[in-house]
Amino acid sequence: LLPIFIGETQKHSFKYFIDDKASRYLYFYLILDVSLTFAASDFSDVTGTVRIVIGHFLGVVLPFAIISRNVKDDVALRVAIGCYVLGATVMAVVGTVEGVRHWLLYSSLERALGVNWGTIYLARGDSLRAVASTGQAIAFGYAMAVGFVLMLGLRRVFQKKILWLAGLALLFVGM
């Protein structure tokens, strides 16, 4: 998203990104959040605050600015939702294989590369709670739930109902 954002900033002025109330409220909330976090650290944790600012920029500002400015009609919105659902479906396949086969996908990569990514695998009884590429089982479940709900909205887009039901079932199994 960063290259698209840079391209948009070269085409438009800064006012383009703050011209509506929703944008102003979101940016005000993020500034308030960063300010309160910095104040809670007694104004001493500058690197932690910068990390939060970068996280908010990459995780909130970029997606919001790009999506809210580039999705102009129903067709573009359907395409964006379809892209998310497609990505969630791929993650559902990986997560299902992880869970069924107890395949710790990223733990073998960590050992092979000699790095520690902090991926946490949780087990409940004999079942493994899959993470796919999200890094945490709760985030994976949330991504699957969002994909499932968005897939419900795409029912009329599918010409064959069986494909829509298969997609729903796959996302449900991924949850």
Side-chain angles (χ1 to χ4, degrees), residues 143-160:
M144 293 300 100
V146 170
F148 184 82
V149 169
L150 291 176
M151 184 70 156
L152 288 173
L154 292 177
R155 186 174 63 89
R156 285 185 255 143
V157 174
F158 285 85
Q159 294 175 353
K160 295 183 180 182

Side-chain angles (χ1 to χ4, degrees), residues 2-175:
L2 191 57
I4 297 170
F5 183 74
I6 291 171
E8 290 291 318
T9 57
Q10 291 174 352
K11 286 188 224 171
H12 305 285
S13 68
F14 179 73
K15 188 175 186 241
Y16 177 73
F17 295 99
I18 59 169
D19 63 348
D20 59 340
K21 278 188 177 182
S23 299
R24 283 188 237 134
Y25 286 140
L26 176 69
Y27 299 144
F28 175 75
Y29 165 74
L30 294 174
I31 290 168
L32 178 66
D33 183 42
V34 169
S35 302
L36 291 174
T37 303
F38 189 52
S41 70
D42 295 328
F43 303 102
S44 61
D45 190 14
V46 176
T47 57
T49 304
V50 170
R51 189 173 26 252
I52 289 171
V53 168
I54 291 171
H56 281 341
F57 180 74
L58 294 175
V60 179
V61 173
L62 274 182
F64 176 78
I66 298 303
I67 292 169
S68 67
R69 301 307 186 264
N70 289 324
V71 176
K72 298 290 186 191
D73 58 1
D74 291 347
V75 173
L77 181 62
R78 246 183 262 120
V79 167
I81 290 172
C83 289
Y84 182 89
V85 167
L86 181 63
T89 305
V90 171
M91 286 176 45
V93 170
V94 172
T96 302
V97 170
E98 271 185 6
V100 169
R101 300 199 44 128
H102 290 270
W103 180 35
L104 306 177
L105 175 65
Y106 292 105
S107 67
S108 59
L109 271 175
E110 287 177 351
R111 284 192 302 273
L113 297 175
V115 296
N116 182 12
W117 288 328
T119 304
I120 300 169
Y121 286 98
L122 303 172
R124 179 179 289 163
D126 289 335
S127 67
L128 176 71
R129 295 178 74 190
V131 294
S133 63
T134 60
Q136 222 288 334
I138 294 173
F140 175 71
Y142 179 76
M144 293 300 100
V146 170
F148 184 82
V149 169
L150 291 176
M151 184 70 156
L152 288 173
L154 292 177
R155 186 174 63 89
R156 285 185 255 143
V157 174
F158 285 85
Q159 294 175 353
K160 295 183 180 182
K161 189 175 180 180
I162 190 73
L163 293 176
W164 178 74
L165 289 172
L168 272 179
L170 189 56
L171 289 167
F172 183 77
V173 169
M175 271 193 279

